[in-house]
Amino acid sequence: MKIFKKYATEFPTPYTCMNAIREGGLETKLTMVLMGLGNFVHKQKIKGLLFLAIEVAYIVFMAVVGIGCLSQLGSLGSVPQQEVWDEAQQVYLYTKGDQSILILLYGIAVILLTVFMVCAWRCSLKSAYKAECLEKSGKHVNTFLEDLKTLTHENLHRLLMTPPMIFIFAFTVLPLIFMICMAFTNYSIIDNHLMLFDWVGLDNFVALFDSSSILGSTFWSVLGWTLVWAFFATFTNYIFGMILSILINRKDTKAKGFWRFCFVLSCAVPMFVSLLIMRTMLQPDGAVNVLLRNLGLIAQDASLPFFTDPTWARVTVIVVNIWVGVPYTLLQLTGVLQNIPAELYEAAKVDGANPIQTFFKITLPYMLYVTTPYLIVTFTGNVNNFNVIYLLSGGDPVTNLSSTAGSTDLLVTWLYKLTVDKQYYNVGAVIGIFTFIILAVGALFTYHRSKSYKEEGGF
Amino acid sequence: MSVKKEYSAKRKRFINNTIVHVILAILAIIWVFPIFWVILTSFRAEKGSYVSTFFPQSYTLDNYIRLFTDTSILNFPQMFMNTLFVAICSCILSSFYVLAVSYCLSRLRFKMRKPYMNMAMILGLFPGFMSMIAVYFILKALGLTEGNLIRLALILCYSGSAGLGFQIAKGFFDTIPLAVDEAALIDGCSRWQIFSKITLPLSKPIIIYTVLTAFMAPWVDFIFARVICRANADQYTVAIGLWRMLEKEYIDSWYTSFAAGAVLISIPIAILFLSLQKYYVDGLSGAVKG
């Protein structure tokens, strides 16, 4: 509530809904029931009619389909698909049963529409009150054309923000709410709940936390590996990229541009291509093993188990991630590294510090201080790092056949497997929510510490 | 004595420099090696996925030719055209969205501004494809998952969340002096004129950056494309095509063509990336410099 008050005081306007209800005239008060009436009375005929049209459209929509969708939302449908023997045609006919997934989707869509309707209703109330006030005080009331014209000036944000907002609501917010709802249902292939499912409350969360079940133990091990992975992936890249950047940008290094080009070349190749290449190179008969055999480092029929041994696989993905990630780190950190005051290094040199001491006593502390937000962003990015794991190892090797995750699966790749391959939609949704919680904690941490938060105040 | 000391310091520096250069050379070889290898493989004449020699025995252009002529199983030219079409459309749509939203958030002050930015931050924290299945159901409910409409579905999908990726462009707009806007306002420009006639012409780098990142997304994404295309092979994008070439039933005959395809789509993207490196760095380091 406090936040809303802050916004209200930032943009003061006398034309609020409360004022409209308290001080508006009869026509404004009637607008609450008949949207657009206030505008219609006060010279804004087209605007009034538009509001009215919205209201009529909404009521018709609700009467025809909306109410039906909402009423089923509680039970999520109960009529199963049935086979009926058709005597006349001598075939089995399938009656159309309820499809819970569509009921849920339409229900949420109707709720979202209703929220928009409430916004439109508030708009109409405010605009009616504004028209009334303006006319009473003898000021000019905008015609519809003039209103349209304000869209290119005072209200430009409405013109420019509306289409992106519609897309965001349709393709990001609606699906997200939908997925969150799924976490509270039994929508999964278990007990054949793919067509019809019910609300089950917090059962899925309980099942996931129960470490004695297969699902629960898998969850904890995947969560553990996700955190280990995110930690190593972040810091190996960070430190390695920093050392590389220092090596390249030393005063005495020749051909700086050439070295930089060599490293940046690998991030110019699309990531999924380079990862697929790495995957094929590291197969038991892939290029790396062939090269090692030809060089005589391993026996002719031997191969290093890059993706077949759990520990090897985990180390491999971290190492390959260094290969993929260091060029990016190089690009991002070079500028920051060059901002470190040169006096610090000179002082260290005078005191007789060697390069390793300088790195650990000056460079690293300075960088950690300046780039904490960057590090946390990278950390959360790595928790969500679907591409590297999925394209590289695919979560393999699977050591425990009864569990659904392999040894290198992260929460996100496990989520993908559970939903796309295994059709455990509900468990997938719960994992998604957990990933969000982990990331949200990290992000809160970042934005509250970052300079942009203190300066903007809005993040 | 001092001459000797100077000499030894010089020698030490020489040794250090040599060590650094050798390390850099080894690392550079490691980094370039896979790229080099895939280029070699794309010219390899021997068929099959894995061969027992590292360097190809003989070289050929057949892999590239096959990619464009053998369209019976994996129709690469068709995939290429699909991706190009989707990329152009989604690029226009999402660049407009990104620029419009960033301009509003940077220059205009309105009530929904801060709530919007907070919302964008929260939405950005959910794993992107968590909602993928739901997006598929929505598109299916709209009837966009059959035939050529899949392309429209992909376009909607790629530009759907464009309005949330405003940070870099907003950061750029923030650096354009406010005085320019004020002068134009005094001269009687409307906000729209300021946006279209002053701000946009001043922001060529960020427009190029936005357009190109939007253009590249369909070429490199295969998660969404795979879920939406499912079995509709005629609607596949390049990314799914390349992925399929490595599946068990195709890998043996298509492996070298996969390398050729990978090289082909990497070349334009690499050129774009290398020439736009500067903008990429500027856009990212803005957040770090604070």
Side-chain angles (χ1 to χ4, degrees), chain A residues 167-180:
Chain A
F167 269 65
I168 290 170
F169 272 100
F171 293 107
T172 309
V173 176
L174 175 62
L176 216 50
I177 299 175
F178 184 56
M179 281 310 278
I180 292 172

Side-chain angles (χ1 to χ4, degrees), chain B residues 1-14:
Chain B
M1 189 66 188
S2 72
V3 176
K4 206 174 176 187
K5 207 173 175 185
E6 208 172 78
Y7 174 73
S8 81
K10 227 178 192 174
R11 215 179 108 175
K12 209 177 150 198
R13 200 152 87 204
F14 176 75

